[in-house]
Structures are given as C-alpha cells and as structure tokens.
Amino acid sequence: MSDKPAPAQPKRSRVVILSAFQDYRTPKRASIHQVAHALAQDGCDVSFISTRFSLISKKKGDSRLFLWDQANAWHKVDGVNCYLWRTPLHPFATNNAVADAVMAKLFPLFARLPNADIDGAFQAADYIVIESSVAAIFIDRIKRLNPTAKIIYYATDRLDTVGAHPYVRSHLVKNARHIDHVCLRSTKMVSDFLWAKDRLYRAEFGIDPADFETVGPSPYTAQRNAVAVGSMLFDESFFHAVAPHFPDVHFHVIGCGKSFKGPDNVFVHKEMPFRATLPYIKHASIGIAPYRLAPGVEYLAESSLKLGQYEYLQIPAVCPDFAVGANPFRAGYVSNDPASMIAATEKALALAGQVPARHFSTWTEVADRVLRPENYPDARIVAD
C-alpha cells in the first residue's frame, strides 16, 4: 500500500446570498434562486439568507409564510444552506412622507439587530451576493465582520420600480466603496449606478435546457390559451379588459400574488413550483407579461425572466410597450388603454407558431459571471 498522501481537495468557495424578499425554498423561481442553485451545483458552499420577515409579513401575505415555523434555523435543501431570519417587526416603505421619515430611523436599527447565525455566515464567506433592494442595508455590517469578503450587488431590479424606501438607496451609495462590483440584468439601469461606473458588469438571465427537456403534456382543454406567470407589478385590469373580447381563449394566471374574480374564461392558479408552470407555458398560444406602469420600468425589456421563458419556449408575448424592446415577437400595448391591450392580444395570437428558437446562456454561466465578471470581457459595461 502506498504511503503517498491523497491529493488535497480544492477549497470550495463559500458564497452567501442575501435577499430581503426571496427564500430559496419557495415554489417560485426568481433569478436569485437559479443563481444559488447553479453555484451549489458547481461545487460552491452556498448559504441563502432571507431577511425582512416578521409579523408584518403575515398581514402582507408574504410568499414565505409557509416557512414560519422553520425560521431562525439552518436547513439544507438541494445542497443550499437556507436561513429565514424572522424578527418581531421590520421596517418598510409606506409611500407617505411623514411615515417614511420615521421608517428611515428604523432601518439602521433593524440592520444592527443581533443574530449570531447570520454573522457567522458573513464571517466565513468568500463572496457575499446582495440581491437588489432592502438587503443592501447590511453592507456596512458585512464589511465590519469580514473585511476580505468580495461584496457583490446583484441588481435584478431598479429600486424605484420595486418601491424601495429612499433609505436603501442612500445607504447603498454611502457604502459604495465597500462594493467590489455591481452586476446589472439590464444596461438600462446604468444611470442608477454611476457611483460604481468603474465596476459595472452585465449578467443577464439564463436558461437551463435540462429544466425544459421533460415538460409534461398540455394541461389545457381549450384550443387557444394564454398564460401569465408571476406577480411583479401585476396588472389585474388587463384580464378584465381583454378576456371578454376573446371568449374562445382561456386565460391562465399563475402565482400573481393575489386572488381575483375575472371573466369566466380567466382561471387564476396559486403559486406553483417552477417546473409545474412549464406545461402551461409550452402548450400556450401566447404568454402575457401584464406589468403595470411604474418608475423606470424600461429595463424589463431586457431583464424580464418570464418574457425570456416565453421566448425560449417559442410562444409570442403580450406586454406593455416599455417591455417590448427590439423583439419582433412581443406585441406591445399602451398601459391603461383597453383598446390597445385588445389589439396587442390579437397581434400576438396571429404570431402563434412563428417564434424562432433562440440561444440563452445557462444559469451556471450567469452565476459565474455574477461572481467573476472580470473573466468575461463582454460583461464589462462602460458608463459615461
């Protein structure tokens, strides 16, 4: 028997993902979930920490409520260490100037609440990925606990668009020196990040072909069907305006974050696991991205995950004009204009079966760009 020692195993990169809205265990899959999964599959030691969860979340119908009794403890799922930090209360944006002024004083107090589990994860990390919005309030805490960790701000959305409290932006800019680089889902966000213009990179959404290889049979009974997936900026009025004009089309709404009664040909489904949504998309005639108008929404033309999935599965899409971009297989409408919505739906239905196949990066490639964008010359964004 040889006495030669076994070769040393390469060190696993320790990555902490910090989110104020998402938990890795929820059925839906935003891009931050996909990045976490890809990093774990690629051999990283991944911890996914979910914050801003309290009794207030019960009132707001938070998608993480089913994890209430599992909060404040580590659980491993799919190779990802998951932690949902539940506190008695948490600060939030009120859209009222006086109340927001009060909340601005609570955010820094919340960011300093003690939690040995989370601090231990921060201290052990090589990379800490902060998902855009409220999670940014922990930047100075992270830097104090771990001066050598690489801090990455992953901007999947603009702060104004998602209605973040003004304190978040001010804290982000104040601590800009602590951020190693910023990854943007869309170049249309650049104006928000001129304070980091020397370290801006682009990391678009991805597609893992394996997820789509075994899509099941059609769940539909009608000949023509339209599907809308997701809750971001969901505009219920689209279905009230459009569905009555297409009585032979069944409109399926999945995981919109609310319950509503639409016309008889509108079917509202609760949030479901990502793969369970795929038969609804693949076998639909058209996809719908019913975004409502909000500040700075133009970036969704490049960053919308649902629009990318519709395109990958080769179905035309209906969406507001601001989300069309240069894509000829998206039919745009003017927000709050029922006649325009109806015309766009008619146009999209006429395009059914004509969308060509398109190549997308895999989520493994996207995740590596988030951590190490300097390895990809085409990822660098030059900002004036």
Side-chain angles (χ1 to χ4, degrees):
M1 175 182 275
S2 172
D3 293 329
K4 185 177 180 181
Q9 294 298 313
K11 176 178 174 285
R12 297 175 71 197
S13 294
R14 291 164 297 188
V15 182
V16 169
I17 293 176
L18 187 63
S19 174
F21 296 101
Q22 312 290 354
D23 186 285
Y24 183 76
R25 294 162 287 183
T26 54
K28 66 179 178 182
R29 278 291 180 262
S31 58
I32 198 69
H33 299 88
Q34 303 283 17
V35 167
H37 179 72
L39 290 171
Q41 293 294 105
D42 205 36
C44 294
D45 183 349
V46 180
S47 296
F48 195 113
I49 297 173
S50 183
T51 70
R52 211 185 63 98
F53 184 70
S54 72
L55 290 168
I56 296 171
S57 305
K58 285 193 170 184
K59 184 176 181 180
K60 294 192 171 186
D62 195 294
S63 67
R64 300 168 292 178
L65 287 176
F66 74 100
L67 295 167
W68 185 267
D69 293 332
Q70 298 181 52
N72 298 338
W74 289 103
H75 300 271
K76 197 158 191 171
V77 178
D78 295 338
V80 175
N81 304 303
C82 304
Y83 192 96
L84 175 57
W85 186 11
R86 190 184 72 215
T87 54
L89 299 171
H90 68 260
F92 55 93
T94 67
N95 297 319
N96 176 282
V98 175
D100 273 351
V102 174
M103 285 291 174
K105 298 181 184 300
L106 299 180
F107 275 96
L109 296 176
F110 179 76
R112 291 196 294 269
L113 287 176
N115 187 307
D117 291 327
I118 287 178
D119 287 349
F122 289 160
Q123 289 170 324
D126 300 306
Y127 300 89
I128 298 178
V129 180
I130 298 173
E131 187 190 27
S132 53
S133 196
V134 187
I137 67 175
F138 293 96
I139 292 172
D140 54 347
R141 177 174 179 161
I142 292 167
K143 194 65 177 180
R144 175 175 52 81
L145 290 167
N146 188 342
T148 62
K150 189 171 186 179
I151 299 176
I152 300 159
Y153 186 79
Y154 182 36
T156 54
D157 290 298
R158 296 183 66 184
L159 295 178
D160 289 345
T161 305
V162 296
H165 190 284
Y167 176 85
V168 178
R169 182 186 300 280
S170 64
H171 188 81
L172 187 59
V173 175
K174 179 181 176 181
N175 289 278
R177 67 191 184 282
H178 296 324
I179 299 171
D180 288 86
H181 66 258
V182 176
C183 277
L184 307 181
R185 279 273 290 276
S186 167
T187 56
K188 294 180 183 293
M189 299 181 185
V190 167
S191 61
D192 286 5
F193 296 95
L194 295 179
W195 48 266
K197 64 181 180 180
D198 57 333
R199 55 218 136 106
L200 290 180
Y201 297 89
R202 184 172 182 179
E204 299 176 316
F205 57 78
I207 292 289
D208 282 334
D211 287 339
F212 299 83
E213 287 175 354
T214 56
V215 176
S218 173
Y220 297 127
T221 57
Q223 291 255 322
R224 297 204 298 176
N225 299 278
V227 65
V229 179
S231 60
M232 182 180 177
L233 298 175
F234 179 77
D235 183 6
E236 174 188 333
S237 71
F238 176 92
F239 300 93
H240 292 290
V242 172
H245 289 266
F246 299 91
D248 66 317
V249 178
H250 283 186
F251 292 81
H252 290 260
V253 180
I254 301 173
C256 69
K258 62 192 297 187
S259 177
F260 72 94
K261 173 62 178 162
D264 289 343
N265 56 336
V266 175
F267 304 87
V268 181
H269 306 266
K270 292 182 179 179
E271 187 176 276
M272 60 179 70
F274 167 66
R275 290 197 178 191
T277 68
L278 297 182
Y280 286 90
I281 300 175
K282 181 178 176 62
H283 299 290
S285 308
I286 60 173
I288 303 169
Y291 294 119
R292 67 176 181 272
L293 192 61
V297 286
E298 294 78 12
Y299 72 94
L300 290 170
E302 295 180 352
S303 70
S304 172
L305 193 55
K306 73 185 75 178
L307 286 172
Q309 290 168 353
Y310 297 161
E311 187 175 5
Y312 184 79
L313 288 172
Q314 296 179 253
I315 64 170
V318 181
C319 60
D321 285 339
F322 59 72
V324 171
N327 192 309
F329 298 98
R330 294 178 188 172
Y333 61 82
V334 177
S335 297
N336 303 316
D337 183 340
S340 179
M341 294 174 177
I342 292 165
T345 304
E346 187 71 65
K347 178 181 177 181
L349 287 167
L351 291 170
Q354 300 179 42
V355 181
R358 177 189 160 191
H359 170 76
F360 289 82
S361 297
T362 66
W363 279 113
T364 299
E365 293 167 338
V366 172
D368 193 54
R369 282 176 178 254
V370 171
L371 291 195
R372 294 172 280 266
E374 65 277 4
N375 293 339
Y376 300 87
D378 64 326
R380 183 66 185 270
I381 297 174
V382 179
D384 296 330

